[in-house]
Amino acid sequence: MDILKRDATGFLIMGRAGMDLYADPPGSTIDSATAFTAALGGSSANIAAGLCRQGLRAALVTCVSDDAVGRFCRAQLAAYGIEDQFVRSVGGEARNSLAVVETRVQDTQSVIYRNGAADFEMTEEDVCALPYSAFQAMVTTGTVLAAEPSRSAALKAFALAKAAGVPIVFDIDYRPYTWTSADEAEQVLSHAATFCDVIIGNDEEFGFMAGGYDRGLSKARALAADTAKIVVYKMGEKGAVTITRDGEVNTGIFKTQALKPTGAGDAFMAGFLGGLASGLTVAGAVERGSAAAALVVSRVGCAPAMPTADELAQFLSSNALQT
């Protein structure tokens, strides 16, 4: 199944870029750390970095704060080769998101600062003139829908991408702290999913959208039957169920020596999209995404940990999915 627009190149990615601060050295807790290492963060920026690390084109659509942290994010985007012509700096009280996190597996702590988030300042004006047809797909995460005016801008972008014949790839990415209520999140995320050609989420996220954890897989199947062409239902260490109009495929995971649990979802998305772009089957793209996730959780950081195409090829040639 070829889901991407083949008369174009690269991915248009909508959503936040932020700063990650990692407790240093690895293994330190935040409350005991005496040093922190800064890196590019934010799910959408991480996905873009993962694609660029594979040699693919990625352009980010977002807003960043007009301050030193916003300039840090812009500099990091440039360092990864992420196109930033659709990134707008905003002043006033807007601030870039900040994540303070640990590199350890057990009892991992992360503290996220999202008050007055700059990326929520994206407006319909930011998305109306985007060159959608120049990209193979538009990619976004659910966080972009959590507040206005970003929500209306994102839904407008969905409609414009559909009109341009550009597939929409949606990572549910439900983060309760960014929403005013669970009911609002359920309604908005479910509505947004009806626009999307590819939907990726974990069992908890699909369960949330369905109104109950035990109904998550049924929700994923319903989306695949009604609207989406590909739905990937991730189950952590139990692997994933990939649902298309042709049926369902269950896949396992790659065993790895994990340093941390964070970054796996963003890496999976980047690896999966890279697989589709290189002409792999859906099942092959899922395997590549799983390989990317395994590599990232075994390394420090998220964006800095994203594997190259050569690293993915080497990993896949010497490791097999395990159920």
Side-chain angles (χ1 to χ4, degrees):
M1 178 185 295
D2 194 354
I3 195 71
L4 301 181
K5 190 172 182 288
R6 290 297 176 182
D7 59 349
T9 59
F11 297 89
L12 184 66
I13 303 173
M14 183 174 296
R16 70 191 186 284
M19 176 186 280
D20 285 351
L21 294 178
Y22 289 91
D24 197 39
S28 302
T29 61
I30 292 170
D31 43 299
S32 67
T34 57
F36 292 84
T37 300
L40 178 67
S43 290
S44 295
N46 288 338
I47 294 167
L51 288 166
C52 287
R53 289 273 289 167
Q54 295 174 68
L56 298 168
R57 177 191 178 205
L60 192 65
V61 183
T62 194
C63 292
V64 297
S65 52
D66 188 14
D67 57 22
V69 177
R71 290 190 288 277
F72 169 87
C73 292
R74 281 188 174 274
Q76 286 291 297
L77 295 177
Y80 283 100
I82 302 165
E83 298 176 20
D84 71 347
Q85 65 265 42
F86 310 124
V87 176
R88 178 168 62 89
S89 296
V90 294
E93 296 300 314
R95 293 292 182 266
N96 265 82
S97 61
L98 173 68
V100 186
V101 293
E102 297 172 343
T103 304
R104 62 193 193 117
V105 175
Q106 298 297 324
D107 302 319
T108 307
Q109 302 178 100
S110 62
V111 181
I112 312 294
Y113 295 89
R114 292 282 289 152
N115 292 334
D119 52 284
F120 284 148
E121 296 301 313
M122 184 177 64
T123 67
E124 291 191 24
E125 186 176 353
D126 291 313
V127 305
C128 280
L130 294 174
Y132 295 95
S133 60
F135 295 90
Q136 291 182 279
M138 188 179 84
V139 185
T140 191
T141 68
T143 307
V144 77
L145 300 161
E148 294 288 5
S150 177
R151 179 185 303 164
S152 293
L155 292 173
K156 179 69 172 180
F158 282 17
L160 292 171
K162 294 293 280 187
V166 177
I168 300 171
V169 181
F170 183 54
D171 186 335
I172 299 171
D173 193 32
Y174 173 56
R175 297 168 187 256
Y177 58 82
T178 64
W179 294 83
T180 58
S181 75
D183 287 342
E184 178 188 57
E186 180 183 344
Q187 293 173 13
V188 173
L189 291 171
S190 293
H191 172 63
T194 64
F195 288 88
C196 301
D197 300 278
V198 180
I199 303 172
I200 297 176
N202 61 38
D203 44 7
E204 292 183 357
E205 290 167 335
F206 281 107
F208 169 77
M209 290 173 65
Y213 179 81
D214 59 337
R215 298 194 292 272
L217 184 54
S218 295
K219 177 70 173 182
R221 287 168 172 157
L223 288 168
D226 296 339
T227 56
K229 297 176 181 177
I230 302 171
V231 176
V232 182
Y233 179 86
K234 298 185 293 182
M235 302 177 293
E237 293 184 355
K238 296 180 180 179
V241 180
T242 303
I243 310 164
T244 69
R245 305 292 167 82
D246 297 327
E248 298 183 10
V249 177
N250 290 67
T251 53
I253 63 169
F254 290 101
K255 298 292 186 181
T256 188
Q257 187 64 43
L259 292 179
K260 65 185 194 311
T262 52
D266 299 337
F268 179 91
M269 176 67 87
F272 174 78
L273 293 174
L276 293 181
S278 66
L280 294 181
T281 63
V282 174
V286 169
E287 183 177 9
R288 184 182 172 104
S290 298
L295 284 165
V296 166
V297 299
S298 69
R299 299 172 172 179
V300 176
C302 290
M306 293 291 175
T308 64
D310 286 344
E311 288 173 331
L312 280 167
Q314 181 177 1
F315 183 89
L316 287 165
S317 68
S318 55
N319 293 273
L321 286 167
Q322 300 180 31
T323 57

